[in-house]
Amino acid sequence: MRIILIGFMGSGKTTIAKALAHDLGFKFIDIDAEVEKSEQKTIANIFEVNGEEYFRKIETNELKKLIDKKFIVVASGGGTPCSESNIEFIKNNFTSVFLNVDSEQLLTRLKKKGNKRPLIIESKNIDNTVLALLQKRMIFYNQADIIIDIIDSNTKTVVNEIMSKL
Ligand code: S3P
């Protein structure tokens, strides 16, 4: 079994995927971390030096490599499922879980100090950027097998809800 968490930046994919992997006894994999490892650069650096299009290619490569693995819980990047080919690949090879956090909560989380996400720090108007991206991406996120509407963002609560729906 392969599980992948999808959803917008700041929706808690990494935290929840780690905890879910722990509870299931599966391996945790973070696509952003895999990209950074293979490129030997931070995500911010890849965006700056090579551009977003290049980043998307590496991100897709790392997603596709996971076909060789079983018993994994994957934290995707916010944009990972947002192309026809990647969402199809996810639907064919993973049990997908969309962490649906409302835009207000996302904005609060993303505006916190220390945010290093290039799409956010390079934006002149974070509200507009987030709302526009979210609108474009919901069509992909909504194709997940399981949709979790995050109201109480307590990790244990969310993990238990996912486990009950697997
Ligand atoms: C991105 C989300 C980030 C990272 C990159 C691009 C996006 O991952 O992959 O900055 O396009 O939404 P997180 O969702 O883990 O922040």
Side-chain angles (χ1 to χ4, degrees):
M1 185 180 206
R2 292 184 210 95
I3 299 169
I4 189 164
L5 301 200
I6 66 174
F8 207 74
M9 294 173 265
S11 60
K13 299 179 295 287
T14 302
T15 308
I16 303 296
K18 256 187 209 164
L20 181 63
H22 174 268
D23 284 9
L24 291 170
F26 285 15
K27 188 172 187 247
F28 163 72
I29 297 176
D30 185 302
I31 292 188
D32 282 343
E34 295 303 310
V35 169
E36 292 188 330
K37 235 194 277 169
S38 79
E39 289 293 296
Q40 294 287 300
K41 271 186 216 160
T42 62
I43 302 283
N45 236 301
I46 301 171
F47 267 75
E48 200 185 313
V49 177
N50 310 96
E52 180 171 351
E53 212 176 301
Y54 179 82
F55 168 79
R56 297 294 168 204
K57 277 189 198 146
I58 309 298
E59 179 183 45
T60 298
N61 278 346
E62 292 304 325
L63 170 70
K64 304 241 159 125
K65 274 192 204 165
L66 300 175
I67 193 86
D68 293 334
K69 298 194 175 3
K70 271 189 190 143
F71 308 111
I72 53 172
V73 180
V74 179
S76 64
T80 311
C82 302
S83 70
E84 284 307 327
S85 84
N86 286 359
I87 193 67
E88 282 312 314
F89 182 82
I90 286 172
K91 289 200 304 194
N92 290 332
N93 297 289
F94 290 84
T95 299
S96 52
V97 182
F98 168 32
L99 300 182
N100 188 22
V101 176
D102 70 58
S103 54
E104 239 173 79
Q105 261 197 77
L106 286 176
L107 279 166
T108 309
R109 294 184 194 183
L110 292 170
K111 283 176 182 170
K112 283 204 179 125
K113 261 193 171 169
N115 190 348
K116 295 196 181 86
R117 295 171 173 97
L119 292 176
I120 301 299
I121 51 179
E122 280 159 21
S123 156
K124 291 197 181 81
N125 183 328
I126 296 181
D127 291 58
N128 284 352
T129 303
V130 167
L131 295 177
L133 256 186
L134 197 53
Q135 202 187 11
K136 272 205 280 189
R137 290 179 171 184
M138 283 305 272
I139 190 165
F140 297 102
Y141 297 150
N142 273 326
Q143 295 180 53
D145 300 310
I146 297 169
I147 298 179
I148 305 285
D149 293 320
I150 311 259
I151 295 144
D152 173 357
S153 59
N154 175 274
T155 303
K156 196 80 209 136
T157 311
V158 177
V159 167
N160 286 343
E161 193 178 342
I162 296 172
M163 301 259 257
S164 74
K165 292 186 170 166
L166 281 174

